[in-house]
Amino acid sequence: MSKGCFSWIHIVVVAFICILNGCAGTSSQEAAPSVNTPKSLEATEPDTLTRFGFNQGLENDLNDKNLSRLQSKIDVLLIAQQLRTIQPQQFLNPLITAKTAADIKQQLVSGMLELSNVFTWHYLHSELIGSDKIAAYYRIDNDEGYSYITFWLSADSYKIYDFHPVSFHFSTLNFVGEFTQLFTKYSDRQAQLAELILASQKNEWDTVTALYQELDADIKAEPVLNDFLLRKYSQMQNDSPEFMAALIRSYEQQNLSSLLFESYYIQQDNFTQAIKMVEGLPEFARKDSKMLSEMAILYAYNQDFEPAVLHGRRAIFAAPNDNEAYFVLLQVSLLAKDYDLSIELIEVLISKFDFIMGQDVIAEFDDSANFMRSDQYQQWLKTRSLS
């Protein structure tokens, strides 16, 4: 690739790094209040305690929006090293590599702070990958729902070098490497790609839709191009349902998934596909209590009650002090007409969390009228009145 061509690609990549960390997630199915689940140390080995301490500090810095401390936790030299590892031919020039790495660091910090303005961060756990990498897993949440982030750290220095909102296919550095490679792979169609990208930059979504549908099948199937468009579109306010539908069709054809599509499928009452979007998450996210509850409610609305109850129980086991998990399983039990379980959960919500579970509260749940007419509920009311 010529120096001039690479410089143009560098400008395009840096211009869009700022969208890499746009993050949206699943919408909450229940409006019940929640509490933070107490953390426990992951193990007793010294290295694990060190990982816990680092991530506890990182969680605090993210929630406190501590700019200087966040900057100190990201290593630009590690970013440059990883760029050369991911795409050695694209990042031969040390000056361009250093400039790209510095730009990525700045945008990583900006992206973290932007998320901190909207979400609360929760450190879940971390694990050593190979001998030199640590994957640190986080949940971010607000009143609208949840999403998940992986930070990649050096096992030697505990410095961050990569950042991955898992609703997207690629981490930040992998995206940069694959995106620059896209222009090399399709050097004969760079103008076509550039026109599409510039239209998306201008938020001209009717033009983007038309250009996207005209793409050759091989380009349209490129995961990094779809990932780019999804990242960009996720920051918009649903300006073009037509483009979202076209992008979803492309993901379906490639058997790909994104948590960002879950709400789309729920609106279509397509709970099978919504479940698939959650199942496409990494294991650490699927095992989190919030996603276990999410799966429980999705299976319930899909009339598949056995896995619904199973996931609901797993959510409670994963976070026994989170009242939201009990509320979700209560909703599942009402939909499943398992009223014995419903009574059991109501009792727990009263005894463990001091909730007042009057008829006005229960009436807020779907399919609660049948429950309140049931023999089990009437007997429970009678027993409560006598106690």
Side-chain angles (χ1 to χ4, degrees):
M1 176 180 292
S2 69
K3 179 179 178 181
C5 182
F6 185 84
S7 297
W8 182 83
I9 292 173
H10 169 74
I11 292 170
V12 171
V13 170
V14 171
F16 286 105
I17 288 172
C18 61
I19 74 162
L20 291 174
N21 305 313
C23 193
T26 178
S27 60
S28 178
Q29 296 296 318
E30 296 297 325
S34 62
V35 295
N36 289 334
T37 302
K39 297 181 183 68
S40 59
L41 295 181
E42 299 159 345
T44 58
E45 303 88 62
D47 63 324
T48 303
L49 294 174
T50 302
R51 290 207 305 271
F52 179 83
F54 171 85
N55 282 287
Q56 191 174 46
L58 177 58
E59 179 191 274
N60 290 335
D61 293 339
L62 289 164
N63 287 321
D64 293 342
K65 305 172 192 175
N66 192 319
L67 174 61
S68 60
R69 289 184 63 85
L70 290 174
Q71 287 177 325
S72 71
K73 287 178 165 63
I74 304 173
D75 191 330
V76 70
L77 295 179
L78 278 173
I79 294 173
Q81 177 183 331
Q82 291 297 317
L83 286 173
R84 289 192 295 269
T85 300
I86 293 168
Q87 290 290 351
Q89 295 303 313
Q90 304 297 329
F91 293 101
L92 288 172
N93 187 309
L95 293 179
I96 290 176
T97 303
K99 178 64 168 62
T100 303
D103 289 336
I104 289 174
K105 175 179 178 176
Q106 183 58 44
Q107 293 303 332
L108 286 179
V109 174
S110 297
M112 292 175 198
L113 291 175
E114 287 174 9
L115 290 173
S116 296
N117 287 329
V118 181
F119 295 96
T120 301
W121 295 78
H122 304 276
Y123 170 58
L124 300 177
H125 63 96
S126 61
E127 62 179 326
L128 183 66
I129 307 295
S131 60
D132 58 345
K133 300 176 183 178
I134 295 172
Y137 305 123
Y138 285 73
R139 181 180 70 242
I140 56 176
D141 59 44
N142 59 17
D143 290 339
E144 301 298 321
Y146 318 97
S147 195
Y148 296 87
I149 306 289
T150 300
F151 288 98
W152 287 96
L153 320 172
S154 164
D156 295 328
S157 63
Y158 292 94
K159 294 289 186 178
I160 299 168
Y161 63 84
D162 204 358
F163 178 80
H164 187 191
V166 300
S167 292
F168 304 117
H169 189 68
F170 295 99
S171 70
T172 297
L173 295 191
N174 284 329
F175 176 88
V176 171
E178 292 293 325
F179 192 67
T180 56
Q181 185 64 28
L182 187 69
F183 286 84
T184 303
K185 185 175 181 179
Y186 298 103
S187 58
D188 58 331
R189 286 168 281 182
Q190 286 186 3
Q192 188 180 17
L193 285 168
E195 188 178 6
L196 174 66
I197 290 166
L198 292 175
S200 70
Q201 184 182 18
K202 297 176 182 177
N203 298 323
E204 297 172 348
W205 290 102
D206 289 342
T207 301
V208 172
T209 303
L211 292 170
Y212 183 72
Q213 292 175 337
E214 292 171 3
L215 287 175
D216 296 332
D218 54 346
I219 301 181
K220 200 172 183 179
E222 285 290 340
V224 69
L225 179 62
N226 289 309
D227 200 60
F228 163 78
L229 292 170
L230 181 59
R231 291 169 188 266
K232 186 69 174 75
Y233 190 80
S234 70
Q235 299 180 345
M236 310 308 298
Q237 299 298 317
N238 200 28
D239 287 347
S240 177
E242 295 81 6
F243 175 74
M244 178 58 81
L247 190 60
I248 287 174
R249 284 195 299 272
S250 180
Y251 269 69
E252 288 177 346
Q253 291 167 1
Q254 300 173 66
N255 198 32
L256 297 175
S257 64
S258 172
L259 191 62
L260 295 175
F261 296 148
E262 184 200 7
S263 61
Y264 171 88
Y265 287 118
I266 290 174
Q267 291 168 9
Q268 305 295 318
D269 289 334
N270 189 343
F271 297 107
T272 298
Q273 280 296 107
I275 289 168
K276 185 177 179 181
M277 297 304 103
V278 179
E279 288 177 337
L281 289 171
E283 184 179 23
F284 85 88
R286 296 196 312 272
K287 288 186 174 181
D288 181 50
S289 63
K290 302 301 184 182
M291 282 300 100
L292 289 168
S293 287
E294 186 77 8
M295 290 290 280
I297 205 70
L298 289 174
Y299 273 118
Y301 282 120
N302 207 35
Q303 303 294 303
D304 197 354
F305 296 120
E306 184 176 346
V309 172
L310 178 62
H311 279 83
R313 290 188 182 278
R314 285 176 175 170
I316 289 173
F317 183 78
N321 294 320
D322 186 349
N323 60 63
E324 184 180 274
Y326 297 85
F327 276 109
V328 170
L329 186 54
L330 175 57
Q331 177 63 88
V332 169
S333 71
L334 295 176
L335 293 171
K337 295 181 171 51
D338 186 348
Y339 296 149
D340 291 335
L341 177 58
S342 303
I343 296 296
E344 178 186 341
L345 289 161
I346 289 172
E347 288 283 5
V348 172
L349 287 165
I350 293 170
S351 63
K352 184 178 178 71
F353 298 104
D354 295 324
F355 282 104
I356 299 173
M357 298 299 292
Q359 294 187 26
D360 57 333
V361 174
I362 296 172
E364 295 296 318
F365 289 85
D366 289 347
D367 212 13
S368 58
N370 288 330
F371 168 66
M372 288 191 287
R373 289 192 294 265
S374 70
D375 293 340
Q376 292 96 321
Y377 182 67
Q378 294 302 318
Q379 181 61 41
W380 180 78
L381 282 179
K382 183 178 179 179
T383 302
R384 295 285 296 182
S385 67
L386 295 174
S387 60

